[in-house]
Amino acid sequence: VSARLLSNLAPSASRLTEIQTPPVVAVTLAYPRTALASTRANANTQGDETTNISGDLNSFGLLIPRSAGMETLGFQFVSSIFPQRYPEGQQVLLAYYGGAQSNINIDTLTDEEIVQKVHNDAQKVLLNPSTPIPVHEPQNTNPRILSVKRWKQGIPQYGVGHAALLQEIRDE
């Protein structure tokens, strides 16, 4: 996008198209907090007991390493970041699917297939195994799909030589 916007002002900016930008899909799903798997945390002072905590994701999110064998890159816990924007009892997850190291051609998948794959990955790391797959309608159905947005030029890859490329563009 920057290359297209700047190339009339600075012809060397057209070289910005050399930066690899693999596609990614942003999938926003709403689950009832009861769908979240319990975690074992908060050991007591003797260290021999733990408390089960369910439905509380008080953080920004999580990244999933490729070594985990999942195509979902990670989840942002949107309703934890912006609690005032979502109804009580809901956990809204924004997942990113695809990316530079993905072996899946996301253009060959329907939105529903991508939602299914993201949901399956969420069950491995966040959800109770019995949590049903999200659906589009109706508004009061849980869990549900809030959006599926495909970014054909998703995540810029700042690989080896990136800084030199930018310097060459600046110097021209």
Side-chain angles (χ1 to χ4, degrees):
V1 174
S2 297
R4 186 170 29 98
L5 293 173
L6 297 173
S7 61
N8 287 338
L9 299 171
S12 62
S14 65
R15 294 197 55 210
L16 291 171
T17 60
E18 296 174 30
I19 299 171
Q20 180 190 10
T21 55
V24 70
V25 182
V27 180
T28 309
L29 305 171
Y31 291 95
R33 288 194 187 272
T34 56
L36 297 172
S38 295
T39 58
R40 299 188 61 78
N42 295 341
N44 70 12
T45 55
Q46 286 78 31
D48 57 4
E49 285 186 33
T50 59
T51 304
N52 284 332
I53 300 170
S54 182
D56 194 12
L57 297 174
N58 288 324
S59 66
F60 185 81
L62 65 91
L63 296 174
I64 301 172
R66 283 292 181 195
S67 61
M70 296 183 232
E71 293 294 324
T72 301
L73 299 169
F75 295 92
Q76 287 180 333
F77 306 151
V78 181
S79 49
S80 295
I81 301 166
F82 304 108
Q84 68 282 6
R85 294 186 184 178
Y86 299 98
E88 185 70 29
Q90 291 285 299
Q91 183 64 58
V92 177
L93 305 175
L94 171 56
Y96 294 96
Y97 185 85
Q101 297 177 7
S102 177
N103 295 321
I104 306 251
N105 180 351
I106 60 175
D107 291 334
T108 64
L109 299 174
T110 66
D111 287 356
E112 290 74 21
E113 289 171 322
I114 291 173
V115 167
Q116 176 71 58
K117 290 175 180 297
V118 167
H119 174 74
N120 291 347
D121 288 346
Q123 284 182 307
K124 294 174 187 172
V125 296
L126 292 169
L127 302 175
N128 290 316
S130 62
T131 303
I133 187 162
V135 296
H136 280 290
E137 303 286 339
Q139 178 99 8
N140 60 353
T141 302
N142 280 314
R144 63 193 162 108
I145 301 166
L146 300 181
S147 72
V148 177
K149 174 65 178 157
R150 294 169 183 261
W151 298 97
K152 294 223 181 262
Q153 293 180 315
I155 305 172
Q157 303 298 299
Y158 305 117
V160 175
H162 177 75
L165 171 64
L166 293 182
Q167 190 58 53
E168 289 171 18
I169 292 169
R170 286 185 193 109
D171 291 345
E172 291 180 15

